[in-house]
Amino acid sequence: MKKLITSLLLTVLCTAVYAQFTTAGNGTTYNIHTLAGIDGTGIVAFELAEGEPPTYQLSQSITIANGDKFVMDDGIYLLFDKNVTLTIEGDADFNLANGSTFDSALDGGETLGAALCIASETTTTIKNCYFYTVGLALMAEGAVNISHCDFINHDGSSAAALYFISAGAASTIENCHFEWCEKAAIGSAANASQPLTIRNCTFEMNSAANNNVPQINITAANPLTIEGCAIEGNPENTMVGGIGISNFMGYDANVTISGCTIKDNRYGIGLVGPAANIRIKDCTLLDNHYETNPMNGGSGISLYDPYLQTKAIIRGNHIEGSLWGVTIIGCQNVNLGCLNEGENYNPGGNVFKNNGNNGELYDLYNNSTLTVYAQNNTWNVSEQTEEQIESVIFHKHDNASLGEVIFMPAANTTGIKGITVDKKNDSIFDLQGRKTTATQKGIYIVNGKKVVR
């Protein structure tokens, strides 16, 4: 049944409505050069001057059937006519040393569709492939590992330049560049919970059509990891977020976003739905405030889960220049720093600077009934005192129907008042000023000094 559904989806989403050529599925290996020599494929080979890369044009769609194999030619240009697709249902190999380019054969801006579609049951490597205007769609049951590829000026004929139509085995995207794509750079269908790692990629000015679509627009998965990426928006596009992760189908999810720099978007990171376990750590979020109405967005980090299932740990991030630093709506447990021993321990270490709107500062807005721990952070106040920090946090203190934020001690403070230290006896106090003999991992006051053990 799954293969039948996949076949039907391929017909609708990955193939043209015009004439097409399908291989026999008898174990033959093909490339573009050999296909060009077969009658009926509709591939045109151009005669170019010496030194120019071999160039081919696809005038009709081609499907490499399950049972056959396709090996992409290295160092060529492959041009696509309108609504023409190269679909690989058999084994696929795009592991190139020198690099090949996929581009439109059209002079105008006509819709192309997904030019390359991978639907293999085995692992596919795609390396050193350069996509201009055209896109890549994935329906593979096997893993797809993509590296050192460019996706530039995708025409928006599909939901993303790199689009997961259905979910397959755990895949990776690393050291790739996405720029000026009309819709999302990387996207997935709402019912495609694709295990995925996106690592060391760069994103610039994507969702150029300025619709309500973030540059990375994917469904939560287990696992989903985004690390070491740089995501830069266009300040003129006030509808475009940085990273958007949704979970409308309620999938089991385990999401980590770490070491990313996200700047100049409508918002930085937005999570919608019961996205189970979330970790956001060591990220820099700058000036993600290009939202014309603060009531509609503009957060550095936004967590929205009306189903009360999301558990989030946020630590070591720098959040600056947002309309709202961190916004919490719903969720089951959100932890921005907890110095208590045990499974909830989180060193915090988040830094907030210049987050606010309409003349008010908002580092953390707890629009939920949760008790939120947010200890050992640096807040946007001149002194890290309880009185001053209270002015940049919105919670139970401001609205009795909301949950409390426990934010003391803040970074570089002990939160202890009036403790008499018995130096002679080498006394040890916890951060609540209670004398203790604890030797477990944590932060203590020993002889009047803060000590990390």
Side-chain angles (χ1 to χ4, degrees):
M1 177 62 71
K2 182 175 181 180
K3 289 187 177 180
L4 174 60
I5 294 173
T6 299
S7 178
L8 290 172
L9 284 170
L10 284 169
T11 301
V12 174
L13 298 170
C14 285
T15 60
V17 296
Y18 306 110
Q20 56 182 308
F21 176 88
T22 302
T23 63
N26 57 7
T28 303
T29 297
Y30 298 90
N31 59 24
I32 295 299
H33 178 72
T34 58
L35 286 168
I38 299 174
D39 290 339
T41 61
I43 296 181
V44 178
F46 290 86
E47 293 185 6
L48 301 174
E50 185 177 351
E52 293 291 327
T55 300
Y56 300 85
Q57 182 173 338
L58 271 65
S59 62
Q60 67 175 13
S61 291
I62 295 176
T63 297
I64 306 300
N66 195 6
D68 290 337
K69 182 176 181 178
F70 180 83
V71 179
M72 183 62 195
D73 314 65
D74 201 355
I76 73 167
Y77 275 78
L78 185 59
L79 307 178
F80 292 80
D81 277 359
K82 180 180 179 180
N83 290 323
V84 166
T85 303
L86 173 61
T87 301
I88 317 297
E89 296 179 357
D91 292 352
D93 184 355
F94 288 76
N95 188 7
L96 308 182
N98 300 311
S100 290
T101 299
F102 302 82
D103 203 348
S104 170
L106 309 176
D107 292 330
E110 295 182 88
T111 299
L112 289 171
L116 179 61
C117 185
I118 304 296
S120 178
E121 297 179 355
T122 58
T123 298
T124 300
T125 297
I126 303 175
K127 183 177 181 180
N128 292 327
C129 292
Y130 311 114
F131 296 85
Y132 295 92
T133 306
V134 302
L136 171 60
L138 301 172
M139 293 189 65
E141 291 185 20
V144 180
N145 299 318
I146 304 169
S147 67
H148 299 89
C149 294
D150 289 348
F151 296 81
I152 311 295
N153 293 329
H154 179 252
D155 72 342
S157 54
S158 58
L162 175 54
Y163 186 45
F164 290 89
I165 297 173
S166 63
S171 299
T172 62
I173 305 166
E174 55 186 343
N175 298 306
C176 292
H177 179 71
F178 301 80
E179 184 175 353
W180 282 106
C181 298
E182 283 291 292
K183 295 182 181 176
I186 302 174
S188 63
N191 62 345
S193 181
Q194 169 64 52
L196 185 63
T197 296
I198 304 172
R199 179 185 297 119
N200 298 333
C201 294
T202 53
F203 303 80
E204 295 182 29
M205 319 295 183
N206 298 290
S207 276
N210 197 27
N211 296 317
N212 187 16
V213 177
Q215 297 197 52
I216 299 177
N217 185 29
I218 49 183
T219 295
N222 185 15
L224 173 60
T225 301
I226 304 173
E227 59 185 17
C229 293
I231 306 167
E232 182 175 354
N234 181 356
E236 295 182 2
N237 289 349
T238 58
M239 295 294 291
V240 181
I243 297 175
I245 298 174
S246 59
N247 196 9
F248 299 116
M249 306 291 287
Y251 292 112
D252 178 32
N254 198 333
V255 178
T256 300
I257 303 173
S258 66
C260 294
T261 298
I262 307 171
K263 60 180 293 189
D264 292 339
N265 299 281
R266 175 191 168 203
Y267 57 83
I269 300 171
L271 298 111
V272 179
N277 296 305
I278 306 293
R279 286 166 299 280
I280 303 174
K281 58 182 183 178
D282 303 325
C283 292
T284 300
L285 300 109
L286 297 174
D287 297 328
N288 295 292
H289 60 234
Y290 293 98
E291 162 62 64
T292 57
N293 182 354
M295 295 298 102
N296 292 334
S299 298
I301 299 172
S302 175
L303 305 174
Y304 174 67
D305 172 20
Y307 305 98
L308 309 181
Q309 296 179 21
T310 295
K311 300 177 183 178
I313 296 175
I314 300 172
R315 66 175 179 85
N317 303 287
H318 183 103
I319 305 171
E320 179 177 350
S322 304
L323 301 182
W324 318 87
V326 174
T327 305
I328 302 168
I329 304 174
C331 302
Q332 182 182 130
N333 184 22
V334 179
N335 182 341
L336 285 87
C338 180
L339 300 181
N340 295 335
E341 287 295 318
E343 63 180 10
N344 292 323
Y345 178 80
N346 173 6
N350 300 290
V351 176
F352 298 86
K353 184 177 180 181
N354 298 335
N355 301 292
N357 63 84
N358 294 324
E360 298 288 338
L361 296 175
Y362 297 101
D363 283 347
L364 173 57
Y365 200 110
N366 182 20
N367 196 14
S368 76
T369 59
L370 295 178
T371 297
V372 175
Y373 276 83
Q375 297 174 323
N376 201 38
N377 297 306
T378 301
W379 306 91
N380 187 40
V381 291
S382 59
E383 295 182 7
Q384 300 296 309
T385 64
E386 183 172 354
E387 181 180 4
Q388 290 198 26
I389 295 170
E390 190 70 67
S391 69
V392 297
I393 294 177
F394 195 93
H395 64 138
K396 187 174 184 177
H397 176 85
D398 307 279
N399 183 333
S401 68
L402 300 177
E404 182 180 5
V405 175
I406 299 173
F407 54 83
M408 294 301 289
N412 300 318
T413 67
T414 65
I416 301 172
K417 297 180 181 179
I419 296 178
T420 301
V421 179
D422 185 354
K423 293 185 179 181
K424 181 178 179 181
N425 295 322
D426 196 30
S427 297
I428 302 174
F429 296 85
D430 65 19
L431 289 177
Q432 283 72 46
R434 299 170 298 197
K435 193 170 182 179
T436 180
T437 58
T439 57
Q440 296 179 339
K441 177 182 177 182
I443 302 175
Y444 301 97
I445 306 302
V446 181
N447 293 336
K449 297 181 179 180
K450 185 167 65 173
V451 176
V452 179
R453 294 191 168 187

